[in-house]
Amino acid sequence: MASTLCNYLPELLCKFPAIDQTLMRGVRKTVDDSFKSFVRAYGNVIDALTTPLQHFLNGLESLFVNTPWFIILAVMVLVVYFASRNMRIVAVTVIGMLFIGLVGLWEDTMITLAIVTVSTLLAIVIGIPIGILMARSDRAQSVVNPILDVMQTLPSFVYLIPVVMIFGIGKVPGVIAVVIYAVPPMIRLTNLGIRLVDREVLEAADAFGSSPGQKLMNVQIPLALPTVMAGINQTIMMSLAMVVVASMIGVGGLGKNVLQAISNQFLTIGFLNGFALVAIAIIFDRTSQAYGKRLQRHTEVVHG
């Protein structure tokens, strides 16, 4: 029926008009060649810029892997306890980490922890200043918001293409891909937290003659901390999710094991590594949420 109808209609109405393929090939070739030329021209500069990150990542990974397991576990228990003050979360941490060690995934988990730690720190260092800038400037917000929308809707696999073309394959490119994927919530929630600070509190700070810097450091950031902590929580969760995808370009740890299990159809190995990632995610999530709630209660007590 449809083909019959098209016999009586102009071709333009039956076949969607497309750009000429020769023109498309020319555009693609121009863009790809320009990108490759840029990478070749500035390859040494890019390597120099990423070398400190490589050293930092290797150092932290070596520390986590080579430190005896009971010391790592004791430090984790102390950090979880002082952050959450909740013995149930401490018990979950101990059980989860013992499970990981008993199934032989301790070293891979330490590698993953190092990658997630470095990625989260980088996301915080990059995200908080951009979030503050957005909170203080509507124009900056109108520029950054569409970029964040693209970053959050672009399929995670697509991130890997430009990252591999610029930085190659390895742990550092993987960390960069994880940071690009995980940094948007950090920026958005920092911006939101500062913008939600009570206007009357800001007016009181102005009345006491606070400078913009003093107002930011002593009033806005402390009051926005619970929301900023929610951003850190989201960043950690997204980093853990992206670690598996980033294993395709050379990131080791649990993600690499999951990828190998998929390739070889090893159901048990895949599930064990997946459960290890879930255990880490639960520990980070519950701890950061509990810390955020403590900050929230403290803020309510201090400011009524």
Side-chain angles (χ1 to χ4, degrees):
M1 177 67 182
S3 60
T4 307
L5 183 61
C6 281
N7 292 332
Y8 301 98
L9 290 173
E11 186 181 353
L12 183 66
L13 297 179
C14 286
K15 185 179 179 183
F16 198 91
I19 299 173
D20 182 64
Q21 286 299 311
T22 308
L23 177 62
M24 282 298 295
R25 275 196 296 274
V27 171
R28 285 202 301 264
K29 188 172 185 308
T30 304
V31 172
D32 290 347
D33 290 348
S34 302
F35 200 72
K36 286 174 184 172
S37 300
F38 170 81
V39 173
R40 287 194 197 101
Y42 295 98
N44 292 334
V45 178
I46 293 169
D47 286 343
L49 290 175
T50 55
T51 299
L53 180 59
Q54 177 86 53
H55 290 319
F56 181 41
L57 181 58
N58 287 342
L60 196 63
E61 187 179 303
S62 175
L63 176 70
F64 283 0
V65 171
N66 296 322
T67 302
W69 67 269
F70 66 91
I71 296 178
I72 294 285
L73 185 58
V75 171
M76 284 188 71
V77 166
L78 286 174
V79 170
V80 169
Y81 174 73
F82 284 110
S84 66
R85 301 294 171 87
N86 186 322
M87 290 308 295
R88 192 178 298 174
I89 300 175
V90 172
V92 169
T93 302
V94 173
I95 293 169
M97 295 309 293
L98 288 179
F99 162 77
I100 287 169
L102 287 172
V103 296
L105 295 174
W106 185 267
E107 186 172 328
D108 290 322
T109 303
M110 291 301 106
I111 294 171
T112 301
L113 275 180
I115 294 165
V116 171
T117 303
V118 173
S119 304
T120 305
L121 288 175
L122 278 176
I124 292 170
V125 169
I126 294 168
I128 288 182
I130 297 176
I132 291 171
L133 178 67
M134 288 173 68
R136 303 186 79 167
S137 165
D138 289 338
R139 183 173 293 177
Q141 181 177 247
S142 64
V143 171
V144 176
N145 261 338
I147 299 172
L148 296 179
D149 291 340
V150 171
M151 291 169 71
Q152 289 191 293
T153 51
L154 203 65
S156 52
F157 286 97
V158 178
Y159 285 116
L160 303 181
I161 300 169
V163 169
V164 168
M165 288 181 74
I166 296 174
F167 302 103
I169 290 176
K171 286 186 287 188
V172 171
V175 167
I176 292 170
V178 173
V179 171
I180 294 171
Y181 182 75
V183 76
M186 188 73 254
I187 297 172
R188 285 192 193 278
L189 287 170
T190 302
N191 174 33
L192 180 67
I194 293 176
R195 282 180 181 270
L196 286 179
V197 172
D198 196 336
R199 191 174 293 277
E200 290 180 2
V201 177
L202 297 177
E203 288 173 356
D206 287 331
F208 280 103
S210 300
S211 66
Q214 288 172 326
K215 204 163 60 175
L216 176 69
M217 297 305 295
N218 299 328
V219 179
Q220 289 174 302
I221 288 183
L223 289 176
L225 263 182
T227 312
V228 174
M229 278 305 301
I232 293 173
N233 175 279
Q234 289 299 306
T235 298
I236 294 170
M237 294 301 109
M238 292 180 75
S239 298
L240 278 168
M242 188 64 184
V243 159
V244 177
V245 178
S247 64
M248 295 175 69
I249 58 171
V251 171
L254 298 171
K256 186 186 73 176
N257 295 348
V258 172
L259 187 65
Q260 288 175 347
I262 293 170
S263 304
N264 299 297
Q265 299 182 8
F266 292 152
L267 179 67
T268 312
I269 293 177
F271 270 104
L272 284 176
N273 283 274
F275 284 135
L277 281 167
V278 170
I280 298 172
I282 289 172
I283 293 167
F284 281 134
D285 180 60
R286 296 295 181 269
T287 305
S288 55
Q289 276 194 26
Y291 185 63
K293 285 177 184 172
R294 285 183 55 215
L295 280 176
Q296 184 81 49
R297 284 197 294 270
H298 176 72
T299 305
E300 288 171 356
V301 169
V302 171
H303 298 277

